[in-house]
Amino acid sequence: MTAKVLDGKKFAKEIKENLAKEIKELYDSKGIVPGLAVVLAGDDDASQVYVDMKEKACASIGMYSKSFRLPSTVAQSELLDIIDQLNRDDKIHGILIQLPLPEAIDEKVVSNRIHPEKDIDGFHPINNGRLLLGEGDLAPCTPLGIIELIKSTGIEISGKHAVVIGRSNIVGKPTGMLLLKENATVTICHSKTKDLALQLKEADIIVSAVGIPNLVRGYMVKEGAIVIDAGTRVVDNKLVGDVNYTEVEKIASWITPVPGGVGPMTIAMLLRNTFKAALKR
Ligand code: GUN
C-alpha cells in the first residue's frame, strides 16, 4: 500500500477561503469584523516567523489583527496590563500570547489572565475543563486541525483505536480528548511508555506530537493506519516530524507530510476559533 497524502496546506487554504466568505457575510449582516490580538515577547526566531504568518493569515481573509512585539525584558505586570486592555477591547475577539515567553515570566499566570471567551488558543483552565467535559468549542488549534485532517479522509473515527504519542497540554492531551469525543478508543503514550511499538501496532489512527525525529518507524505501524505527524523539530534548518515518512508511507492508508500537513491547519483553526469567538458576541 502507498499512503495517500493528507495535504494540510491545500485543506487549510479551502478553510481560509470559506472563512473569508463568512467574515464578509458577518460584516454585511452585523457590521462585525473579527479581530485577533497577537502578543510576542522576546526574540525567539521561530516565534517571530509564526507571528508574522498569523498576521498575514488574518489580513488574507479580512480579519482585523493587532500585534504587540515586546522586548524579552518586558515586565510581567506590563504584559498583564496589555491583556487586561485587550480583554476590554470590543474590536478584539481573540487574544494569542505566543509561547514560549521569556523565562522571567510565568506562562500560566499570563495565559490565565485572558478572558476565557477570548482564549482562542484554548489554553485557559476553563476551556480545558470544558474540553474534558466534552463541551465548548474553543479547543487548542493544533488538535482541532488534527481532527479535521482525520475527518477529511472520510474514514469514520468512531470505534477506532487511536494512539496519541505525547501528553503535552497544547497537543497530546487535548488531541486525546477530541478523539474521545469522536468516540475513538484512545491510548496516550509518553516518555515512560514501556513498549511504544506494541501500542502502535494496535492503532487504526496514530498521532505523534513529541518532536523526536524518526520515532515512528514503518515496522511499528498497522497496515492501513492513518498517521498524523505533529512533531516539529528543526534539523539543519529544516522542519522535521516524528515519523519516518519513507517507511511509513508504504504501510499507512493516509499520512501527513512535514511540512505542509498539520502546521497550516493550526493557523486555519486559529482563524476559525477567532471567528467563532466573534460570532458569540
Ligand atoms: N507556540 C507554539 N505553538 C503555539 C500555539 O499553538 N499557541 C501559542 N500561543 N504559542 C505557541
Side-chain angles (χ1 to χ4, degrees), residues 11 15 143-153 265 269 272:
F11 191 17
I15 293 170
L144 285 173
I146 289 170
I147 299 296
E148 288 295 329
L149 282 169
I150 298 170
K151 284 186 175 170
S152 76
T153 65
M265 291 299 289
M269 294 301 110
R272 201 167 75 181

Side-chain angles (χ1 to χ4, degrees), residues 9-82:
K9 202 170 164 188
K10 187 167 152 222
F11 191 17
K13 189 167 171 267
E14 287 165 18
I15 293 170
K16 285 190 276 183
E17 283 165 4
N18 281 332
L19 271 174
K21 282 188 206 136
E22 290 182 291
I23 286 172
K24 189 175 176 306
E25 280 162 21
L26 183 64
Y27 181 71
D28 290 344
S29 63
K30 297 205 173 130
I32 297 172
V33 180
L36 173 69
V38 182
V39 182
L40 170 66
D43 38 29
D44 182 85
D45 284 344
S47 291
Q48 311 261 7
V49 174
Y50 291 141
V51 168
D52 287 349
M53 280 162 66
K54 287 166 188 175
E55 280 177 330
K56 277 194 196 127
C58 284
S60 75
I61 62 164
M63 191 174 269
Y64 170 66
S65 78
K66 184 170 178 171
S67 56
F68 295 78
R69 288 179 158 75
L70 307 162
S72 55
T73 51
V74 66
Q76 184 164 308
S77 57
E78 190 183 332
L79 216 44
L80 294 177
D81 284 347
I82 290 173

Side-chain angles (χ1 to χ4, degrees), residues 50 54 96-100 121 123 142 170 266:
Y50 291 141
K54 287 166 188 175
L96 182 143
I97 310 293
Q98 186 66 34
L99 301 179
D121 253 328
F123 293 168
T142 300
I170 296 183
T266 298

Side-chain angles (χ1 to χ4, degrees), residues 3-240:
K4 289 189 234 59
V5 178
L6 274 167
D7 188 341
K9 202 170 164 188
K10 187 167 152 222
F11 191 17
K13 189 167 171 267
E14 287 165 18
I15 293 170
K16 285 190 276 183
E17 283 165 4
N18 281 332
L19 271 174
K21 282 188 206 136
E22 290 182 291
I23 286 172
K24 189 175 176 306
E25 280 162 21
L26 183 64
Y27 181 71
D28 290 344
S29 63
K30 297 205 173 130
I32 297 172
V33 180
L36 173 69
V38 182
V39 182
L40 170 66
D43 38 29
D44 182 85
D45 284 344
S47 291
Q48 311 261 7
V49 174
Y50 291 141
V51 168
D52 287 349
M53 280 162 66
K54 287 166 188 175
E55 280 177 330
K56 277 194 196 127
C58 284
S60 75
I61 62 164
M63 191 174 269
Y64 170 66
S65 78
K66 184 170 178 171
S67 56
F68 295 78
R69 288 179 158 75
L70 307 162
S72 55
T73 51
V74 66
Q76 184 164 308
S77 57
E78 190 183 332
L79 216 44
L80 294 177
D81 284 347
I82 290 173
I83 296 171
D84 289 343
Q85 186 191 313
L86 292 169
N87 279 338
R88 287 191 299 267
D89 187 339
D90 284 342
K91 285 220 249 355
I92 297 298
H93 305 93
I95 304 170
L96 182 143
I97 310 293
Q98 186 66 34
L99 301 179
L101 285 170
E103 261 177 36
I105 291 176
D106 188 332
E107 251 170 43
K108 248 193 207 160
V109 171
V110 170
S111 290
N112 294 0
R113 189 76 157 227
I114 297 173
H115 192 289
E117 283 173 17
K118 294 194 178 188
D119 168 40
I120 38 67
D121 253 328
F123 293 168
H124 194 285
I126 294 262
N127 288 320
N128 265 301
R130 286 182 181 145
L131 178 62
L132 193 66
L133 296 169
E135 296 167 2
D137 47 14
L138 287 183
C141 304
T142 300
L144 285 173
I146 289 170
I147 299 296
E148 288 295 329
L149 282 169
I150 298 170
K151 284 186 175 170
S152 76
T153 65
I155 296 169
E156 176 90 34
I157 298 177
S158 179
K160 296 293 188 318
H161 188 183
V163 175
V164 179
I165 316 170
R167 55 175 156 176
S168 72
N169 291 331
I170 296 183
V171 187
K173 275 192 234 170
T175 301
M177 287 304 118
L178 289 174
L179 284 163
L180 194 57
K181 197 174 169 192
E182 297 294 332
N183 299 312
T185 300
V186 181
T187 301
I188 299 186
C189 297
H190 45 78
S191 54
K192 300 288 188 292
T193 296
K194 290 228 165 63
D195 190 341
L196 179 65
L198 183 73
Q199 300 297 332
L200 292 186
K201 212 60 202 170
E202 294 298 313
D204 304 303
I205 299 167
I206 295 172
V207 178
S208 190
V210 284
I212 303 177
N214 217 23
L215 178 70
V216 179
R217 303 289 306 271
Y219 75 90
M220 300 173 168
V221 175
K222 184 164 97 173
E223 187 80 27
I226 299 172
V227 179
I228 308 288
D229 191 348
T232 48
R233 181 123 311 218
V234 177
V235 180
D236 297 332
N237 270 329
K238 268 172 59 184
L239 187 68
V240 290

